[in-house]
Amino acid sequence: MENGGRARGNQRSTRDPGQLVVGREAETAEIMRRVAGSRSHSEVLIVTGEPGVGKSVLLRLAANRVRREGGRVLRAVGSESEAHLGFAALHQMLRPVLGELDGLPPAQRSALRAVLGLDECTDAPDAMLVGLAVLTLVSDLAEPAPLLVVVDDGQWIDRASLDVLAFVARRMDSEPVTLLLGVRTAAALAGFDKGYERLEIGPLSGEAANRLLDQQPTPPTGRTRGRILQEAAGNPLALIELARAGAARQPAGSSVEGPLPVTDRLERIFAEHAKYLPEATRRPLLLLAAAGTADVPTVARGLPEADDKAWVPAERAGLVRQDGPRIVFRHPLIRSALYHAASFEERREAHLALAELLGEEPDRRAWHLAAATTRPDEHVSAVLQQTADRARIRGGYAAAAAALERAAELSPRRADQARLLTEAAAMAVFTGQLGWVEQLAAEVRGRSDDPALISRASLAAGQLMSLRRHHAAAFALLTRIADEAAAAHSPRVLDALAAAAVVRYYSGEEPQLHRIEGLLSAMPDSTVNSALDAWVLAVSDPNGAGASLAPALPGLIAEAKDDAGSLTALAIVAWILDQTALAARTFDEAFDRWQARGALPDGLGCAVGWAYLEQGRWAEARSVAAEIAAVASAAGLDHAEACAHVLDATVLALRGEPTEARRRAEQALLLVDPLESRSVAVFARRAMGLAAVAEGNYDTAYAQFRSAFTEDGDPVHYHVSYTVLAELAAAAVRRGRQQDAAELLERSARRLGTRMSARISALVDRGRALLAESGHAERCFQAALTGDTGEQWPFERAQTRLDYGEWLRRQRRIAEARPLLTMALDTFQRLGARPWIERAKAELRAAGIETTGSVVPSALNELSPQQQQIVQLAARGLTNREIGEKLFLSPRTVGSHLYRVFPKLGITARSQLRDVVEGTLSGTGAQI
C-alpha cells in the first residue's frame, strides 16, 4: 500500500515508507510497540492479511525504524520458486552476517555452515543443533543493540527454514529480539499456528480509502470513484490499481463503463501494464520475475544496473521500485502476473538464462533447468537428484522430497521413476505431510511391480500414519506390508512390524498382538535384527515374550555403542519393561550421540519423558512434553501431541496443579479416539485421577482409576492399566470400595503371574497392604519396600513409606513410623509434590514431630521446569554456554533465568546453587 512520491524518469523516492501509509495508524502503533518492547524481552508477532493490504509496507516501516535507532535487522522474503529449496530463506536472512558465524561454538558453527551449503558434510547435521546455532547467533547479534528479524511472505518460506525459525521463537525469552512474520490470512504457517499473537490487517475504513484515492496521481471522481470504493472493498492495492486502470482507460472526470477488475483479477491489470513496455524493459522484467529472491544478487550481473534507463518505463508503470542498489517488484502479485502472462517459450528462455547465470549455485541452477523442461530429460533428472542428496545431508527433508519427486517426473525410465518416488516418500515422512506421502506411495504402485519398492513407499505412509489418530487403518496397512515383505523375503518385514508394534501399544488391541506374533513366528532367523526384534517383542507384549528380554538388555545396549537410533529403541524397551534407571541412562547416552533423523517425534517418543517422570526428573519430563507437543502440533500429528499432553498432565497433577492437569488431559482426549488410542485414554484418566487425589476428591479419583479396567476387571491397556493398581486401592479404602478393588487387584496379579516386573510387583504389594486386614498389612508393606530396586521410582516408594508410616502410627508404633514419614516427606519436598507434602506433614505432626517450612526447596519447586533444569546444571558447575548447549537455549537466556531465580531461591551467588539443589541450606529438614 504505497502511494504518492512515485519515481518519475530517473528520480528516486527517498521518503520513509512509514510516511506513505494511509489508514494504518493503529496497526503501525501496535507493531512499533512490539519493536520497542524487545529492548527488555523477546517479541513474536504474526502479521496477517490478504494480498495487497499493506503487510510488506508495515514490515519495512518497522525495519527502517530499528535501523534509524541503531538496531540491527535481518530479513527474508518468501518466494514460490524457492519454497522447495532447503534453508533458502535462512541463507537469505543470514547472508549479511555470515562473518559472525566464526564466533559460534565449533559444533554449532559446523552444523549451521553445513545446512547453509558453506561446508561439505557427510551426515545430516542435528536439527536441534542447527536451531541452537541460529538462536546463539541471534542472541550474539542482539548484544550491542536490539535485533529485528523480519520474514515477509511467510507462506512461501521453505519448510526447513520455517522449522528453524519456529525453534528459535519457542526459545527466545530475555533476548532483545523481535520476530515479525508477514503471512497471507488463509496460509498455514507450520510451527506458528498456535501460541503466538496475530495482528490481522483488514480492509481500510471508508474514510481511509477515500484519502488513499485522493493521493493518487489522477484521483477518480464521480460514479467511477464510487465503483472503485465498492469493488476494492478496502484493499489498498486494489484501490491504487483500479484507480490507475480507470485513469488509463478514460479521460479525467468521465466514468468507466462495464465491470471493473476486482481484487482477484489484479494480476491481469499488472500484465496489462507490462504489455506495452519496450522489449528492452520486458526482457529484464521477465528475468527478474523468473528469478527467486535469493537469486537476485547473482542474476543482477545479467540485468541492467538499477539506474539504467531500461527500468524507467517499468517504474513509471508502477511495476518496480528501487530498493538500495537493486530493482525489486513493488508487490509479489506483480511478479506472478508478469511471469504467467509471458508465453511458455519466453519463460523457458528466461529460466535457461538464469541457469547459465547461476552456474556456481547448483541447487538453484537445477530448479531453473527443471522449470525449462517439459519432457523427460535424464540430465536434468540427475542434477535434481544431486540437489536432493545435498538437501538430505543438510537435513532439508521437504526440499529433498520435492527434488526427488520432480526428478522422477523428468526421468525417462519407469523403473527409475518408481525408485525416485520411493525415495521421495521416505524423505517426505519427515515433513509430517501424510497426504503427500500417500500420494507418492500411490504413484510408486502405479509405476512399478517391484514388491521391495512398493513396500518401502507404503511403509513410509504407515510409519507416519501411526503418529496420527486412526490406528486401525495404520495397523492394517503395516501388517499388509509385513505380509508382502515376508512373502518376498524382504528385510522390510521387521521394519513394518516395528511400526505395527507401536500402533499395537497405542491402541492396546489384543487381536493385534496375535497378528504380530503370527508374523514374527513366520520370519526366518536371518531377517531378525537384535534391537528391532527386542523392540517388537517388548512393545507388543511386555508381560509375555518381552519380559524374557530384561536380562539381555544391558548387553544389547553395550553392543549398540554409538548407534543413537538403536540406543533410543533399546531405551524405550527398558522403559516398557520397567527398568527405569537403565532407560533414563540410555536415553541420556543416546541424546549425547544423537544425529538428526528429521523433525518428527519417533514412535513412542514420549517414553523418554515417562522415564524421567518415574525417576523423579519432573522438570525434564515437562521439557520433553513441551518439545514434542510443539513439534507434533506444527506437523498436525494429533496422537503424538496427545501423548505429550498426558505426560505433562501427570506431572502437573503430582505437583498439585489439578485444574491445569485436567485441562491438559482433556486436551489429549479431544485429539484421539479413545477406542483406537487406549494408551492415551488410560494415561489421561490416570492423570485426572491423580488430580482428584490432589484435591482430596476420592470419589472422582476412584472412578478415574477404575476406568483403566473393564467392568469384568480386565485391563483396558495391557501396559498402562497396571500402573494404577496401588492408586485404585488407596482411593477404594477412602470410599469403602475395598472388595471391588481387591478382586480387581488379585485378578491382575493372577493374569501377570511370574511375569510381573519389580515395579508392578511393588505397586501390587502396596495395594494389598492398603486393602488387607490389619494382621496381614505389614508383610505386604515390607514386601513393597524390599531391596534397593524401588529407589528408581522415588515418588512411588515415598507413597509406600507414607502409607506404611501412617499404618504404623495407627498401630501406636510411633517410633517406627517417624523415620518412614520423614523419608517420605524429604522425597516429596525434593520433587515438589505439594499435596503429598501436606499429607506427610500432617502425619508427622500426628506422630509428634513439628515440621518447619522448607523454604528453599519449596522455592526451587516453584520454578518453571526450564528454570529448574538450568539451576540443576549450574549447580554442577556448567557455564551458561554449556547449559545453553544442553538445553538448546542461548547463553543470554540462561543468564537471564539465573538472574531472576536467585532472589526466589534466597541466594546471592552461583556457588550457593549446589546447596539449594541438594537441600543442605538451613531449614530444609523436619525438626524433631
Side-chain angles (χ1 to χ4, degrees), residues 34-44 132 134-143 145-149 168-179 866 884 888-897 900:
R34 301 304 183 107
V35 171
S38 71
R39 292 184 177 89
S40 58
H41 61 276
S42 65
E43 289 277 359
V44 178
L132 180 58
V134 176
L135 178 63
T136 304
L137 180 61
V138 164
S139 177
D140 290 346
L141 291 172
E143 185 69 38
L147 174 70
L148 173 64
V149 179
V168 172
R170 290 197 296 272
R171 286 162 178 79
M172 290 196 309
D173 180 19
S174 57
E175 314 294 333
V177 177
T178 301
L179 173 58
Q866 189 177 77
F888 299 101
L889 299 171
S890 72
R892 182 202 295 270
T893 296
V894 173
S896 177
H897 276 302
R900 292 202 299 269

Side-chain angles (χ1 to χ4, degrees), residues 530-608:
S530 57
L532 268 183
D533 192 39
W535 166 276
V536 175
L537 290 170
V539 170
S540 57
D541 186 21
N543 302 314
S548 62
L549 291 167
L553 266 182
L556 290 172
I557 289 168
E559 288 175 16
K561 293 181 181 176
D562 294 332
D563 184 344
S566 293
L567 283 173
T568 302
L570 291 167
I572 292 172
V573 169
W575 169 71
I576 286 179
L577 297 181
D578 285 329
Q579 296 199 26
T580 303
L582 178 62
R585 284 199 306 273
T586 309
F587 278 127
D588 290 341
E589 193 175 348
F591 181 81
D592 288 341
R593 290 168 169 75
W594 188 256
Q595 296 295 312
R597 297 185 303 176
L600 298 185
D602 288 330
L604 291 176
C606 274
V608 60

Side-chain angles (χ1 to χ4, degrees), residues 483-539:
D483 262 334
E484 293 168 354
H489 304 290
S490 167
R492 295 281 169 201
V493 61
L494 203 54
D495 292 322
L497 284 180
V502 173
V503 179
R504 146 73 174 161
Y505 185 89
Y506 288 152
S507 71
E509 283 277 7
E510 202 63 19
Q512 292 180 354
L513 170 62
H514 304 319
R515 184 86 168 92
I516 290 172
E517 287 176 335
L519 287 163
L520 271 176
S521 64
M523 285 173 51
D525 292 341
S526 60
T527 63
V528 175
N529 171 282
S530 57
L532 268 183
D533 192 39
W535 166 276
V536 175
L537 290 170
V539 170

Side-chain angles (χ1 to χ4, degrees), residues 615-833:
Q615 203 182 33
R617 296 161 64 176
W618 290 0
E620 290 170 86
R622 290 202 70 194
S623 292
V624 168
E627 187 61 40
I628 291 179
V631 172
S633 174
L637 303 176
D638 293 345
H639 190 272
E641 184 180 356
C643 290
H645 286 325
V646 293
L647 170 60
D648 200 39
T650 305
V651 182
L652 288 165
L654 295 176
R655 284 171 47 88
E657 300 178 46
T659 302
E660 186 62 17
R662 272 193 298 273
R663 189 180 72 81
R664 294 290 170 85
E666 288 164 358
Q667 269 185 304
L669 291 173
L670 289 173
L671 288 167
V672 300
D673 178 347
L675 294 180
E676 290 202 42
S677 298
R678 290 176 175 83
S679 61
V680 168
V682 176
F683 270 132
R685 297 297 177 190
R686 187 179 78 166
M688 289 194 279
L690 290 168
V693 169
E695 294 175 315
N697 184 348
Y698 291 98
D699 283 326
T700 298
Y702 181 81
Q704 296 288 2
F705 295 138
R706 183 62 180 80
S707 70
F709 296 86
T710 67
E711 194 65 35
D712 295 333
D714 293 330
V716 170
H717 189 270
Y718 62 92
H719 180 243
V720 187
S721 289
Y722 295 122
T723 65
V724 309
L725 286 170
E727 298 292 353
L728 175 66
V733 168
R734 291 177 179 266
R735 304 319 305 163
R737 306 294 297 271
Q738 290 94 324
Q739 183 176 349
D740 179 50
E743 290 174 359
L744 192 151
L745 187 145
E746 295 305 329
R747 182 184 178 97
S748 297
R750 287 193 299 273
R751 176 186 287 269
L752 291 170
T754 58
R755 301 168 301 174
M756 199 182 303
S757 72
R759 179 190 177 201
I760 300 301
S761 179
L763 293 175
V764 168
D765 284 329
R766 178 188 168 214
R768 283 171 170 163
L770 290 167
L771 296 167
E773 297 293 333
S774 183
H776 302 289
E778 185 162 24
R779 175 176 53 82
C780 296
F781 276 129
Q782 290 174 344
L785 292 171
T786 298
D788 295 331
T789 303
E791 297 299 334
Q792 61 187 309
W793 309 293
F795 179 75
E796 291 169 5
R797 176 148 281 206
Q799 285 180 299
T800 304
R801 285 177 173 140
L802 176 59
D803 291 336
Y804 188 16
E806 182 180 34
W807 183 86
L808 287 169
R809 182 187 64 76
R810 290 177 178 173
Q811 301 299 311
R812 301 186 182 280
R813 295 160 61 180
I814 306 298
E816 294 172 76
R818 286 173 175 171
L820 288 166
L821 295 173
T822 301
M823 283 190 287
L825 176 60
D826 287 345
T827 299
F828 294 144
Q829 287 180 324
R830 176 170 58 81
L831 296 175

Side-chain angles (χ1 to χ4, degrees), residues 227-238:
R227 293 179 60 204
I228 289 174
L229 288 168
Q230 179 182 1
E231 296 193 25
N235 184 287
L237 185 64

Side-chain angles (χ1 to χ4, degrees), residues 367-404:
W367 279 106
H368 283 296
L369 288 174
T373 306
T374 57
R375 61 186 66 185
D377 187 310
E378 194 162 8
H379 169 69
V380 179
S381 178
V383 297
L384 283 168
Q385 291 174 58
Q386 294 165 5
T387 286
D389 287 341
R390 286 188 290 270
R392 177 189 55 78
I393 290 171
R394 298 197 305 270
Y397 297 100
L404 288 166

Side-chain angles (χ1 to χ4, degrees), residues 144-485:
L147 174 70
L148 173 64
V149 179
V150 175
V151 177
D152 200 1
D153 284 322
Q155 70 277 358
W156 293 326
I157 294 293
D158 66 277
R159 180 59 185 269
S161 296
L162 202 56
D163 287 341
V164 173
L165 286 169
F167 178 98
V168 172
R170 290 197 296 272
R171 286 162 178 79
M172 290 196 309
D173 180 19
S174 57
E175 314 294 333
V177 177
T178 301
L179 173 58
L180 298 179
L181 296 104
V183 62
R184 291 186 180 178
T185 299
L189 206 59
F192 291 95
D193 55 340
K194 296 178 184 177
Y196 296 103
E197 291 189 51
R198 290 177 170 251
L199 178 63
E200 177 70 25
I201 311 299
L204 290 177
S205 67
E207 181 272 333
N210 272 298
R211 273 197 288 137
L212 184 57
L213 288 178
D214 287 339
Q215 293 183 12
Q216 299 314 299
T218 307
T221 59
R223 182 182 169 202
T224 301
R225 186 183 186 96
R227 293 179 60 204
I228 289 174
L229 288 168
Q230 179 182 1
E231 296 193 25
N235 184 287
L237 185 64
L239 287 162
I240 293 170
E241 296 308 326
L242 293 176
R244 185 194 300 271
R249 294 173 186 174
Q250 293 292 332
S254 65
S255 63
V256 178
E257 298 303 326
L260 287 172
V262 292
T263 306
D264 60 0
R265 284 184 252 156
L266 285 175
E267 288 192 5
R268 297 185 191 175
I269 297 176
F270 296 131
E272 187 73 17
H273 289 331
K275 184 184 298 184
Y276 302 107
L277 295 176
E279 178 63 23
T281 301
R282 290 181 69 242
R283 185 181 181 280
L285 268 180
L286 182 55
L287 275 179
L288 196 61
T293 308
D295 291 342
V296 171
T298 303
V299 171
R301 296 197 296 265
L303 295 175
E305 296 290 333
D307 58 358
D308 193 287
K309 291 182 179 180
W311 294 114
V312 173
E315 281 190 298
R316 286 176 174 164
L319 300 175
V320 298
R321 62 179 172 81
Q322 187 172 7
D323 183 14
R326 299 183 204 158
I327 291 291
V328 297
F329 287 110
R330 201 162 50 79
H331 193 277
L333 286 177
I334 301 174
R335 175 178 179 266
S336 175
L338 296 182
Y339 180 81
H340 291 292
S343 68
F344 172 75
E345 190 56 37
E346 288 174 322
R347 294 200 300 268
R348 180 176 180 276
E349 289 176 4
H351 283 295
L352 289 174
L354 290 168
E356 183 75 22
L357 288 167
L358 293 164
E360 296 181 2
E361 299 189 45
D363 295 337
R364 300 182 188 282
R365 175 178 177 273
W367 279 106
H368 283 296
L369 288 174
T373 306
T374 57
R375 61 186 66 185
D377 187 310
E378 194 162 8
H379 169 69
V380 179
S381 178
V383 297
L384 283 168
Q385 291 174 58
Q386 294 165 5
T387 286
D389 287 341
R390 286 188 290 270
R392 177 189 55 78
I393 290 171
R394 298 197 305 270
Y397 297 100
L404 288 166
E405 185 178 19
R406 181 65 174 134
E409 292 171 359
L410 295 177
S411 179
R413 289 179 291 277
R414 286 177 65 85
D416 288 338
Q417 292 171 14
R419 174 182 58 79
L420 292 168
L421 288 167
T422 301
E423 293 176 13
M427 290 294 100
V429 165
F430 296 114
T431 70
Q433 298 179 46
L434 180 60
W436 188 14
V437 178
E438 290 178 326
Q439 172 201 330
L440 291 166
E443 290 186 31
V444 172
R445 290 192 295 273
R447 284 174 166 80
S448 176
D449 296 324
D450 185 340
L453 287 179
I454 292 171
S455 67
R456 185 184 172 201
S458 299
L459 180 59
Q463 289 171 325
L464 186 53
M465 197 184 295
S466 70
L467 294 171
R468 293 174 176 266
R469 62 186 294 164
H470 300 301
H471 292 130
F475 189 83
L477 173 61
L478 290 164
T479 50
R480 177 174 62 77
I481 295 166
D483 262 334
E484 293 168 354

